[in-house]
Amino acid sequence: MSGMHRNRIKGKGISLQRVVQLASAALLNGYAVGFQRGKIFTGGSKALCVPVLNCYSCPGALGACPIGSLQAALGGKGHRFPFYVFGMLMLFGILLGRGVCGLLCPFGLVQDLLHKIPVPKLKVPKRIDRPARYLKYAVFLVLVILLPAFAVSGSGISSPYFCKYLCPAGTLEGGIPLLLSNSGLRQAAGLLFQWKVLVLVVILAASAVIHRPFCKYLCPLGAFYAAFNRFSFFQMRLDREKCVGCKKCEASCPMNVEVTREINGTECIRCGKCRSVCPTQAISSGFSWDPGKTESIPREEKPEL
Amino acid sequence: MKDRTVLLARYGLLAAAAVFIAVGLLRREHLGVMEKAVRICLECIGIG
């Protein structure tokens, strides 16, 4: 079988990745009446952190955003180390790595869909792209950890700086739906809301021409999960003996990963594009308990041809 | 990276995550997460 459509649901023309992304977005934001009433869910599941950047002020959100929770814990009274939130993040990271970004994140899905718009695409030159990828680590360290922990107001608490000034998911999933359905909030919106809408519009517009610009350059959650990519249980696998070096995988990779060199590098979001275009089916993915089987499949385990 | 290193890191991090979650639950940090998440975060949505 040609590798071109192996990632597609038979006869449907929709990729497995897209099905998982849509299911995840619906599941994480399943409180549909919240959108109608302009109110948020207040049930017990809000004590659980979700693995993705999904604003807990989204009217549909059933769980808590881990980045918002992390800032709230670090910036709250007492400034205690947030074991619970870090533990949840580490658990998601070690299970899936950046598979969370490629398969589960609703804001990743939004960017993927916007990139389908037929406009000329921009390939960011390597000399800009490479250093810009480190921005997300700075965002995580400065806006999510250091400022909430140390830039404290007179009341002893600090702002969630990332959410307040940068997070586009909060504006898209929380701010806009709530303001549309709640006149009180609409009247309270001012300069800060205009700034956040501007950030959102710039990121959404950029998504049409650059694939997942927020994930590549700004997302603090992606930065955190990147540290787990090489160790996570969910891995991409490259059978080096089947690989013919055509580099179709690298040409198709939306995150510009050098697939044949480091298939589980920090930028791989496990979207499966490389797997679907491989003409020799040398690439596979899945949960691996044995790291010896991660990078390549040993010759003796390969089926006889 | 050597397989043994990956194996150690993988299971070590999994164990660390479980310990962190358990400590957080004992310190009732999940209630703090919930308390924050059930109220509209005005800063998160850009109201201030």
Side-chain angles (χ1 to χ4, degrees):
Chain A
M1 181 177 69
S2 157
M4 189 59 79
H5 300 295
R6 277 190 296 125
N7 208 26
R8 309 240 146 207
I9 303 286
K10 200 174 180 182
K12 297 285 182 194
I14 183 168
S15 69
L16 189 59
Q17 179 206 15
R18 194 72 75 238
V19 172
V20 175
Q21 283 177 307
L22 289 167
S24 169
L27 193 69
L28 296 173
N29 297 290
Y31 186 62
V33 291
F35 291 99
Q36 186 190 350
R37 294 180 186 162
K39 291 188 174 170
I40 65 170
F41 181 68
T42 56
S45 61
K46 279 274 177 98
L48 281 173
C49 289
V50 296
V52 296
L53 202 68
N54 194 76
C55 186
Y56 42 39
S57 293
C58 170
L62 295 171
C65 171
I67 291 294
S69 301
L70 194 56
Q71 292 168 96
L74 287 167
K77 283 190 175 167
H79 299 277
R80 300 199 308 175
F81 182 82
F83 282 100
Y84 176 68
V85 182
F86 260 116
M88 296 289 274
L89 282 171
M90 287 168 67
L91 181 66
F92 298 134
I94 200 63
L95 289 177
L96 293 168
R98 289 195 75 183
V100 170
C101 314
L103 301 172
L104 303 179
C105 182
F107 198 69
L109 170 64
V110 169
Q111 292 173 86
D112 280 346
L113 294 177
L114 285 169
H115 199 66
K116 297 253 175 214
I117 296 172
V119 291
K121 307 300 177 191
L122 178 69
K123 189 168 169 58
V124 181
K126 269 189 181 174
R127 68 176 192 285
I128 298 170
D129 179 68
R130 285 269 169 86
R133 300 277 178 134
Y134 290 100
L135 259 178
K136 59 181 174 287
Y137 299 98
V139 168
F140 179 74
L141 197 65
V142 176
L143 294 183
V144 177
I145 303 289
L146 295 178
L147 286 177
F150 298 110
V152 182
S153 69
S155 63
I157 54 172
S158 60
S159 289
Y161 287 88
F162 170 74
C163 298
K164 187 172 180 178
Y165 296 109
L166 194 59
C167 182
T171 316
L172 182 68
E173 298 165 0
I176 292 172
L178 282 174
L179 262 66
L180 285 175
S181 52
N182 188 321
S183 60
L185 288 175
R186 227 171 13 247
Q187 285 166 2
L191 197 62
L192 181 62
F193 187 72
Q194 290 168 19
W195 163 253
K196 288 209 66 178
V197 170
L198 176 68
V199 171
L200 174 66
V201 168
V202 168
I203 290 171
L204 295 183
S207 302
V209 291
I210 303 170
H211 201 276
R212 287 192 180 230
F214 182 71
C215 306
K216 280 177 179 163
Y217 306 121
L218 293 172
C219 182
L221 202 50
F224 185 87
Y225 290 142
F228 293 83
N229 242 16
R230 290 191 179 92
F231 312 112
S232 65
F233 286 92
F234 189 75
Q235 293 275 299
M236 301 302 295
R237 298 166 71 189
L238 171 65
D239 185 337
R240 294 192 185 280
E241 293 188 17
K242 278 186 183 174
C243 177
V244 292
C246 66
K247 305 257 181 179
K248 281 185 180 171
C249 48
E250 295 185 5
S252 73
C253 179
M255 298 296 282
N256 311 112
V257 174
E258 290 179 86
V259 179
T260 54
R261 196 176 69 83
E262 195 176 25
I263 192 166
N264 288 299
T266 54
E267 293 298 316
C268 172
I269 58 169
R270 279 81 151 120
C271 66
K273 294 276 192 312
C274 54
R275 190 185 58 210
S276 65
V277 300
C278 179
T280 60
Q281 301 182 23
I283 297 171
S284 58
S285 62
F287 285 92
S288 155
W289 309 107
D290 178 2
K293 292 181 179 175
T294 297
E295 288 289 324
S296 61
I297 300 171
R299 180 185 288 276
E300 59 270 22
E301 288 189 14
K302 288 184 359 179
E304 293 294 323
L305 295 175
Chain B
M1 199 175 295
K2 286 185 177 174
D3 293 347
R4 190 175 161 75
T5 313
V6 175
L7 191 72
L8 280 174
R10 185 176 282 181
Y11 286 97
L13 286 166
L14 183 65
V19 170
F20 273 38
I21 292 171
V23 170
L25 289 171
L26 287 172
R27 298 195 334 164
R28 306 178 75 78
E29 289 176 6
H30 60 296
L31 299 180
V33 168
M34 181 161 163
E35 192 183 337
K36 176 76 181 166
V38 296
R39 296 183 196 160
I40 292 176
C41 169
L42 294 178
E43 287 160 314
C44 304
I45 64 170
I47 302 294

